[in-house]
Amino acid sequence: MRLPLPLPRWIAHRGGGSLAPENTLAGIRLAARLGYRAVEFDVMLSADGTPFLIHDETLERTTSGQGRVCATPDDVLLALDAGDGEHIPTLAAAAALCRQYGLLANVEIKPAAGYERQTAEVVARQCVALWQGAAILPLISSFSMVALAIARDLAPAIPRGLLFDAVPADWHRQLQSVGGVTLHCNARQFGGEVLAEAATKGVPVLCYTVNSLAESEKLLANGVSAVFTDRLDLFAGACAIEDASR
Ligand code: G3P
Ligand code: MG
């Protein structure tokens, strides 16, 4: 399995980072406007089983709503304010926007506890349908091995990345078991031995969340392939230069 395109070095985190409401269409638009070629967002199911872009299992931090996302029906979710008058987008709306802008979408399957299977099944099937015939396929990632195994079975042509906070010694075995192609990890929770092994095995390493130029430069110089950032402003110039050099 191949990656969908040369991996951009900078990836807008949670839709559009911290300069727009997270996991919203406004955030994705901002990322595209600032020159980003890739955007990561989190996907969770509503009570109706519809995939929406949201990070937390509960609504309070990022929206005007209350309670659990997985217990809230679509009509209620769609009416909430996700910041600055934005709505919580569906995966379908985000996919359409990414395709329109030519963005690589890193779709993070973020299941509510106990909903790993159901979430992965819906998201994998929708990814296949929503990116049908697309020049740039999404990259599906998850902390959940169960979710990635389902994505492998239901959407085998869509590349997968395995997410870790601290990277375990057997990360490559786990990645292989779900047919993954990329390793996604916390920028402050892995060492040189992981990068060396990844380089030997030809696995790109993607690090979250990097919000300083110095940290980004160091990671990229050490062999990290891409960083996720909330600070879209910091890397906009670098994105434009990278784009021009392609
Ligand atoms: O996918 C990278 C990163 O988004 C994982 O952490 O909690 O921001 O979803 P989190
Ligand atoms: Mg995420």
Side-chain angles (χ1 to χ4, degrees):
M1 171 172 298
R2 294 183 48 231
L3 275 169
L5 78 173
L7 205 54
R9 284 198 187 92
W10 296 279
I11 303 171
H13 183 234
R14 295 194 190 176
S18 55
L19 301 186
E22 74 177 44
N23 285 315
T24 62
L25 298 185
I28 295 172
R29 283 195 197 94
L30 178 68
R33 200 159 61 241
L34 290 176
Y36 283 76
R37 305 298 307 269
V39 62
E40 181 263 5
F41 47 76
D42 309 292
V43 180
M44 194 177 292
L45 297 187
S46 69
D48 293 316
T50 303
F52 280 87
L53 271 58
I54 190 158
H55 180 276
D56 297 2
E57 286 197 33
T58 50
L59 292 161
E60 281 80 353
R61 183 179 63 84
T62 57
T63 79
S64 55
Q66 292 179 326
R68 301 190 75 200
V69 177
C70 66
T72 308
D74 290 359
D75 58 342
V76 175
L77 287 180
L78 289 166
L80 295 177
D81 187 338
D84 298 346
E86 285 294 307
H87 295 294
I88 309 175
T90 59
L91 174 60
L97 200 58
C98 287
R99 289 192 64 168
Q100 182 190 327
Y101 285 123
L103 289 167
L104 165 65
N106 175 195
V107 179
E108 184 189 335
I109 302 176
K110 187 74 103 182
Y115 289 82
E116 287 80 5
R117 275 183 176 282
Q118 196 181 332
T119 309
E121 285 172 11
V122 173
V123 173
R125 287 204 170 97
Q126 283 212 5
C127 281
V128 171
L130 293 168
W131 274 275
Q132 181 101 41
I136 304 170
L137 288 175
L139 172 62
I140 290 177
S141 64
S142 189
F143 287 100
S144 164
M145 291 288 285
V146 170
L148 288 175
I150 290 170
R152 173 199 62 207
D153 294 344
L154 298 183
I158 296 182
R160 292 168 295 286
L162 177 54
L163 262 160
F164 289 107
D165 190 9
V167 181
D170 68 342
W171 67 267
H172 191 253
R173 186 195 59 72
Q174 292 195 47
L175 184 68
Q176 279 187 312
S177 78
V178 292
V181 291
T182 49
L183 171 66
H184 303 211
C185 54
N186 185 325
R188 284 157 291 277
Q189 295 270 15
F190 72 99
E193 71 290 349
V194 170
L195 277 180
E197 187 181 357
T200 305
K201 304 228 158 87
V203 176
V205 177
L206 291 67
C207 287
Y208 65 91
T209 307
V210 178
N211 292 329
S212 94
L213 286 167
E215 189 181 13
S216 163
E217 276 166 19
K218 191 169 165 203
L219 289 164
L220 296 171
N222 286 341
V224 166
S225 293
V227 298
F228 299 93
T229 187
D230 297 316
R231 287 290 308 275
L232 302 197
D233 52 327
L234 283 182
F235 302 100
C239 286
I241 292 166
E242 179 178 54
D243 205 23
S245 70
R246 287 200 172 193

